Amino acid sequence: MSTLAPERPDAAEPEERPPVEKPRPPLLSSRWLWALGIIGLWIVIWAVTKGNDTLELAGRERTSVHDALAGFRDDVLASRDSNPIIQLTYEIGGWFNSFVDWLQRMISVENFPRPVPEVGWLGVTAVATWIGLAIAGWRIAILVALSFLSFGVFDYWSGAIDLLIVTFVAVGVSVLIGLPLAVLLGTGNRVVHSVMTTALDIFQTMPTFVYLAPVALFFGIGASGAVVCTLLYALPPIIRVAGHGIRTVSETTIEATDSAGQTRWQRLTKVQLPMARRTIVVGLNQTILAALSMATIAAFIDGPGAGQDVLDSLKTVDTGGGFVPGALIVVIAIMLDRTTTAASEYSERAARGGVDLRRRRIVLAVAAVPVIVCLYLSRQYPWAAEFEETGWRTRLADLVNDFFDWFTDVFRDVTQGFKDLISAVLLNPLESLLAESPWWLVAAALLGLAFVLGGLRALLPTVVCVAGLLYFGLWNDAMITLNMTLVGTVLVMVLALVFGVWMARSPKMDLVLRPLLDTGQTIPPFVYMIPVLALFGTTRFSAIVAGVVYAAPVAIKLVADGVKGVSASTLEATRSTGSTTWQEITKVQLPMARGHLVLAANQGLLYVLAMAVIGGLVGAGGLGYDVVLGFARSEEWGFGAAAGISIVLLGIMVDRIARGAADKTSR
């Protein structure tokens, strides 16, 4: 049946009206204009007052707060034998030490008087491969086998296995503690949810480096400190993600099962947990990757594993020597990421009947036979118990050093020119504005920006954080770190806008870049410093570039997802008016994706801040250097502790301002 009305030749043709253009949201709202006004006023006052009241400490000057923190450390150490809390923490640390030591003697180092581990490399590789086959299929089994073989081939078997031991011990404890807390987060009332979310926000805002000093003080260094700081850093992802999965189970489903008279325990175990299983596995995946990242950084407190080799290479600027263990850490990250993801998909397929369980049991039983044979061989024969040195580690390190020597010689002018350009245009002017302004001017500007961009929800935390930065006496160093963080964030957002928009508008580019970005997000931050050092040397710029590379993947994906989320009908309407591609991007897609842009900037800030701290090892200055100094010299412990707390305050402040801006933009 036709819906077209018959033509009426005698009817007057209606007058055509121009299409009414719907108002588009402006890129700069009034509050952003207010923010620009505050910055402009700041610059005017800075031009007159710069160099005064900067609160810069002279030489080795320390404040009474630094001395008080050092005294607290001394009191803790002195009361180790009498304080019940310290005794408890050291006893927990002793348990972790003993358990990690037992696992090491089982699979990674000699178990005296036996000159090799109880289970050699062949048996460990076979068991790991069989587990990969059991939980995720044969493709993952091959990936696991090749990954474990690479540890031995490149002469890093003990270091890689030790890193895995620390990671999995921490993950095991994190799951035992995190899942009950996730249930509480997912089923608790609004007050419980709000309190727990705030605590998780604070933990996830803290850069990884900051966990080390207090953990080393209360639990000791070595395996114990490495496990504790790793599990503390790995806890928030599983609590937050699993709790979200439990909380978002359909209310209709819950009401339907409640009508059958089930108890709260039955509802949790038979409805909420099974329906949130996929999300819980995603949380486990994030926890494993976070644990690996932190276990690598725990080398700073003598944690076992390949992170020690990366740290030693950073100290001596040995690019090739750090590249090999760094590459193996990347292999471990990719292996763990792909295994947990594939295991989730495999279990979902099995639950829906997509896997022949009888055939699977037969395959696993048959595959167990060679595993048992490999275990026997690894206990009886030296060649199967300990990898013979292949020399590939040294050869690859030499090749990498030769490549970077050639690259830096050929492109020295390019890299130096890029560094000089960014320093002249962004880094030096912004540092002068932040570090040379009177403290009261910077504080007033930060409070004004917080209120204008994020309202009272951003202003109140900013007041507390600014007061804290002043109290801990490292205001000038905090401004230097904030400067590096802001410059890094600007560079991150440039990359995010270019590649994010490109990915959103080109499915082919999305197909090419997304796997690379996923891989980039699995690499521990420590590893990024190695190639950057070779290109830019031991300067603050190296820390900024490493932070940009570390933060870019997540920011690019957020921008791409936001731009891609603009509806096709909106774009069609825009194209019908004759808009160019540039107009479509700048006047429609980017304004409508503002929430994602601000969130990308927020994540970029936090990721770059984390690397600015690690950059203290390579001459970055600021709070990162202060923390490293506190680790290196016991008499500077109070100074380093104050720097660590200041980093936390700085991270919370920029996070709350950015979150407040994102919330207001979304609304």
Side-chain angles (χ1 to χ4, degrees):
M1 179 178 175
S2 174
T3 59
L4 294 175
E7 291 189 4
R8 298 174 57 188
D10 55 334
E13 195 164 325
E15 181 182 349
E16 284 190 29
R17 295 181 180 179
V20 178
E21 186 176 352
K22 293 184 178 180
R24 301 187 185 98
L27 269 175
L28 289 177
S29 63
S30 60
R31 59 198 178 87
W32 291 100
L33 294 175
W34 273 103
L36 290 177
I38 290 173
I39 294 172
L41 181 62
W42 179 4
I43 293 172
V44 171
I45 300 175
W46 160 80
V48 179
T49 61
K50 62 180 177 180
N52 298 316
D53 299 327
T54 60
L55 303 184
E56 183 177 4
L57 295 179
R60 302 289 294 277
E61 183 183 354
R62 301 292 174 263
T63 69
S64 59
V65 175
H66 304 160
D67 294 336
L69 288 171
F72 169 75
R73 190 278 308 264
D74 295 339
D75 292 341
V76 169
L77 294 178
S79 65
R80 195 161 54 186
D81 297 329
S82 58
N83 189 315
I85 296 177
I86 307 302
Q87 289 177 331
L88 175 61
T89 57
Y90 265 81
E91 187 172 351
I92 293 172
W95 294 341
F96 285 136
N97 260 333
S98 300
F99 187 51
V100 169
D101 178 66
W102 178 78
L103 288 174
Q104 286 179 300
R105 288 185 285 108
M106 284 293 294
I107 61 177
S108 72
V109 299
E110 65 274 6
N111 185 24
F112 186 81
R114 183 178 166 85
V116 292
E118 289 295 326
V119 181
W121 70 267
L122 186 62
V124 173
T125 304
V127 170
T129 303
W130 187 89
I131 292 173
L133 177 66
I135 65 174
W138 63 270
R139 289 187 178 88
I140 294 300
I142 293 173
L143 173 64
V144 171
L146 292 176
S147 299
F148 273 75
L149 288 173
S150 70
F151 305 157
V153 166
F154 289 100
D155 301 330
Y156 272 106
W157 176 263
S158 293
I161 297 299
D162 286 348
L163 185 60
L164 281 171
I165 287 172
V166 172
T167 299
F168 279 112
V169 170
V171 168
V173 179
S174 296
V175 171
L176 290 175
I177 299 173
L179 278 182
L181 292 175
V183 170
L184 180 62
L185 180 66
T187 59
N189 58 34
R190 185 173 296 180
V191 175
V192 171
H193 185 267
S194 177
V195 170
M196 291 188 67
T197 301
T198 302
L200 292 173
D201 286 345
I202 292 172
F203 271 94
Q204 291 192 290
T205 303
M206 292 170 60
T208 52
F209 221 88
V210 178
Y211 286 85
L212 301 181
V215 167
L217 178 61
F218 284 97
F219 293 89
I221 62 173
S224 58
V227 171
V228 172
C229 67
T230 299
L231 76 88
L232 287 175
Y233 186 68
L235 261 176
I238 193 167
I239 296 173
R240 187 187 291 276
V241 177
H244 173 74
I246 294 169
R247 199 172 190 87
T248 53
V249 172
S250 169
E251 287 289 339
T252 306
T253 304
I254 294 176
E255 289 173 3
T257 52
D258 282 350
S259 63
Q262 66 179 357
T263 63
R264 292 183 64 181
W265 177 253
Q266 289 172 326
R267 179 203 305 161
L268 175 66
T269 56
K270 295 185 177 182
V271 180
Q272 290 172 302
L273 289 178
M275 295 192 72
R277 179 174 56 184
R278 187 180 186 90
T279 308
I280 291 172
V281 174
V282 171
L284 178 63
N285 170 272
Q286 295 302 304
T287 288
I288 290 174
L289 294 179
L292 176 65
S293 172
M294 192 66 201
T296 306
I297 295 174
F300 282 96
I301 55 173
D302 204 28
Q308 287 282 357
D309 300 284
V310 179
L311 178 59
D312 292 342
S313 300
L314 279 178
K315 290 177 179 177
T316 58
V317 198
D318 179 7
T319 307
F323 177 85
V324 181
L328 291 178
I329 292 171
V330 174
V331 169
I332 294 172
I334 293 172
M335 176 188 72
L336 295 178
D337 177 57
R338 297 296 182 267
T339 300
T340 52
T341 303
S344 172
E345 296 170 352
Y346 196 75
S347 64
E348 284 284 330
R349 201 162 64 248
R352 295 174 181 174
V355 176
D356 187 337
L357 296 179
R358 182 172 177 275
R359 180 184 175 188
R360 181 186 179 189
R361 293 190 191 100
I362 293 173
V363 170
L364 291 178
V366 172
V369 175
V371 172
I372 295 172
V373 172
C374 290
L375 284 169
Y376 172 79
L377 293 175
S378 72
R379 285 192 54 81
Q380 299 297 322
Y381 297 95
W383 63 267
E386 188 175 26
F387 252 106
E388 294 290 333
E389 286 199 13
T390 62
W392 285 24
R393 166 184 177 175
T394 304
R395 287 197 290 271
L396 180 57
D398 291 341
L399 285 173
V400 170
N401 280 328
D402 291 342
F403 169 77
F404 274 104
D405 288 343
W406 167 82
F407 190 91
T408 51
D409 286 342
V410 173
F411 295 99
R412 178 178 288 109
D413 292 340
V414 176
T415 56
Q416 187 65 38
F418 177 68
K419 180 171 73 173
D420 292 343
L421 175 65
I422 298 299
S423 297
V425 174
L426 284 175
L427 197 55
N428 294 337
L430 187 56
E431 181 171 317
S432 178
L433 181 63
L434 285 165
E436 295 181 17
S437 291
W439 70 266
W440 49 265
L441 176 60
V442 181
L446 291 175
L447 295 175
L449 290 172
F451 180 70
V452 166
L453 297 178
L456 285 176
R457 292 182 62 184
L459 177 63
L460 295 178
T462 303
V463 169
V464 174
C465 292
V466 167
L469 290 173
L470 291 169
Y471 176 75
F472 287 102
L474 293 172
W475 178 269
N476 191 261
D477 286 352
M479 293 303 103
I480 292 173
T481 300
L482 179 59
N483 169 57
M484 292 189 293
T485 303
L486 293 176
V487 170
T489 304
V490 169
L491 298 177
V492 166
M493 289 307 297
V494 170
L495 293 175
L497 288 172
V498 172
F499 289 102
V501 171
W502 196 359
M503 287 174 62
R505 296 180 62 87
S506 170
K508 291 182 180 179
M509 183 54 58
D510 186 89
L511 188 66
V512 170
L513 281 184
R514 197 165 287 271
L516 296 177
L517 298 177
D518 289 341
T519 302
Q521 283 188 267
T522 64
I523 300 174
F526 210 20
V527 178
Y528 283 105
M529 291 300 306
I530 299 168
V532 173
L533 274 180
L535 295 176
F536 298 101
T538 54
T539 65
R540 61 179 178 171
F541 194 74
S542 295
I544 293 172
V545 173
V548 170
V549 177
Y550 178 50
V554 65
I556 291 172
K557 288 169 70 174
L558 283 169
V559 171
D561 292 341
V563 174
K564 192 181 292 185
V566 177
S567 67
S569 59
T570 302
L571 295 179
E572 284 297 328
T574 305
R575 290 165 187 160
S576 67
T577 63
S579 296
T580 64
T581 300
W582 177 252
Q583 290 172 326
E584 186 178 312
I585 293 171
T586 58
K587 295 188 175 181
V588 179
Q589 289 180 303
L590 290 180
M592 296 189 73
R594 283 180 305 175
H596 282 75
L597 299 185
V598 179
L599 183 59
N602 167 263
Q603 294 300 298
L605 273 167
L606 296 179
Y607 277 63
V608 174
L609 177 62
M611 287 302 293
V613 178
I614 295 176
L617 284 170
V618 294
L623 296 175
Y625 173 79
D626 300 338
V627 173
V628 173
L629 183 64
F631 271 113
R633 299 178 180 175
S634 60
E635 69 272 15
E636 303 288 356
W637 194 92
F639 184 71
I645 298 170
S646 298
I647 291 167
V648 175
L649 294 172
L650 200 61
I652 293 173
M653 181 179 71
V654 296
D655 176 66
R656 286 299 178 267
I657 294 175
R659 280 177 184 266
D663 290 343
K664 276 200 166 187
T665 300
S666 298
R667 290 197 296 270

